[in-house]
Amino acid sequence: MVEQRSSSTGRVKILDRTSGALVSTFLSISGLNTGSEQGLLGLAFDPDYANNGYFFVNYTQNSRTFVTRYQRSNLNPQLADPGSAQVVFSISQPFSNHNGGWIAFGPDGYLYIAMGDGGSAGDPANRAQNLNDLLGKMLRIDVGSLPYSIPVGNPFGDEIWSYGLRNPWRPSFDRSSGDLWIADVGQNSWEEVNFQPASSSGGTNWGWRCYEGNNPFNTSGCPSPSTLEFPIWEYSRGGSPFRCSVTGGYVYRGSAIPSLDGTYFFADYCSDQIWSLKYDGTTLSEFTERTGELAPTVGSIDSISSFGEDYFGELYICDIGGEIYKVISN
C-alpha cells in the first residue's frame, strides 16, 4: 500500500491481505512536497522482483518529480534497503498540481510513467501538445540497466510514448490483454477514460489542450481532429451528486467473481460514484453504476483516490481518509 504522505513523509506499507493489519512499513521517504496533489504517488515492482528485489517509486520533492529505484533488504524481505536509492528519472514541476505520479511496467517489460501537464489551469504553456516537453505525456523507458535507455520502438526517439494528457490519474494495464487504460482528469466540464490496445505502436495524441473529452477546449494551433484519439467514455462535471475528478481503476481479472471478468472499474473523487463498463477495442457495453451495491457494511467510501489490484487480480478501493475496501461477491 502506498501512503501519499503524513506531513512530508510518504510510506509504503505491507498489510495482511486477510485482516488488513499492518505487517511492516516497507519504505519511508521524507522531505516530500505537501501540495494536495503531491507526495509519494506511485509504486512499481520490477518484473523480476522475486529475484532482483528492485522496485520503483514516483514522488515529488523540491518541486520535481523523481522516479527512484530501491531494492528490498537482504536481511528482511518485508523491508526496503533505504541506502539502495538510485534516482532513475527526474523533471521539474512548475506548479503543485497535475504531477501525474502513476508508474507501472507494461507487458513489454518497459517502465511507463504518467506525467501531468505541469499544472495551473488550461495548460498555459501548451506543454501537453509540445513534443519537446515531457510534461503532459505518457513516457516509456527501459530500466533493465541504469542509467535508463530509450526503447527502440518509441515513436519519437525519446522518452515519449503518447501525448496530449492533462493529468492522467491512476492508469492501468489489463493484466490479461495488455491493453492500457488512461483516466484523464478534465478542466471545467468533462472527465474522460481513454483506451490504448496492447497492439499500439505509440505516438497517440490524446487531444489535451485542444479538446476536453470530445469537446473543443482551446483549438488554437491544434492539429486536425482526425489525427487525435478521443476517449471511449466521458462524463460531465458538476451535477448532483457533484462530480469533479475521475479516478481510474482496473479491469477485473480475479477468480472470485467470474461474471465480472473483463469489466473495467472507475470512479469520481467528489461524488464517490463508482462505475464499470466493458470495451473490446470496438464496442463499449454493460455500463453500470456500482455505487449502491459497493456500499460497505462498515464505514463509508468517501473521496476515492485510487483502486488497487492484488496478486490474484482481486480489486480494492482506496479513499482519501486512508480506508481500503475489497470488492467481494455478495
Side-chain angles (χ1 to χ4, degrees), residues 54 56 68-69 86-89 141-149:
Y54 291 139
F56 298 77
T68 298
R69 188 185 77 179
Q86 187 169 354
V87 174
V88 174
F89 170 85
I141 60 176
D142 184 348
V143 294
S145 60
L146 299 183
Y148 72 83
S149 59

Side-chain angles (χ1 to χ4, degrees), residues 263-284:
T263 302
Y264 175 73
F265 283 77
F266 64 107
D268 187 85
Y269 176 79
C270 287
S271 70
D272 307 322
Q273 290 172 286
I274 305 168
W275 303 282
S276 70
L277 55 81
K278 287 186 175 182
Y279 186 68
D280 61 7
T282 303
T283 303
L284 188 146

Side-chain angles (χ1 to χ4, degrees), residues 29-165:
I29 303 176
S30 59
L32 302 182
N33 290 127
T34 57
S36 64
E37 296 181 12
Q38 298 179 312
L40 179 57
L41 301 174
L43 168 69
F45 290 94
D46 189 282
D48 197 31
Y49 175 79
N51 295 312
N52 61 30
Y54 291 139
F55 64 97
F56 298 77
V57 289
N58 183 320
Y59 55 90
T60 46
Q61 187 179 68
N62 299 323
S63 299
R64 297 184 68 85
T65 283
F66 290 90
V67 176
T68 298
R69 188 185 77 179
Y70 284 85
Q71 192 169 26
R72 70 170 178 262
S73 168
N74 289 326
L75 301 177
N76 184 348
Q78 293 180 337
L79 297 174
D81 175 5
S84 66
Q86 187 169 354
V87 174
V88 174
F89 170 85
S90 73
I91 186 171
S92 177
Q93 290 287 358
F95 296 96
S96 63
N97 60 337
H98 302 183
N99 292 173
W102 174 85
I103 52 175
F105 283 91
D108 51 18
Y110 297 130
L111 183 66
Y112 288 71
I113 306 169
M115 299 299 307
D117 66 8
S120 188
D123 194 7
N126 198 26
R127 294 183 173 92
Q129 288 295 312
N130 182 358
L131 288 173
N132 294 313
D133 194 315
L134 298 184
L135 295 175
K137 313 296 190 297
M138 182 66 74
L139 309 180
R140 185 176 80 152
I141 60 176
D142 184 348
V143 294
S145 60
L146 299 183
Y148 72 83
S149 59
I150 305 299
V152 173
N154 278 18
F156 306 109
D158 58 9
E159 293 92 342
I160 297 172
W161 174 250
S162 63
Y163 64 110
L165 294 167

Side-chain angles (χ1 to χ4, degrees), residues 47 63 72 85 106 110 120 130 137-138 146 148 164 184 186 193 220 222 237 253 260 287 295 298 303 305 323 330:
S63 299
R72 70 170 178 262
Y110 297 130
S120 188
N130 182 358
K137 313 296 190 297
M138 182 66 74
L146 299 183
Y148 72 83
D184 199 14
V193 174
S220 175
C222 288
R237 295 165 66 96
R253 295 297 184 184
L260 291 180
F287 175 78
V298 177
S303 303
S305 56
E323 297 167 309
N330 63 2

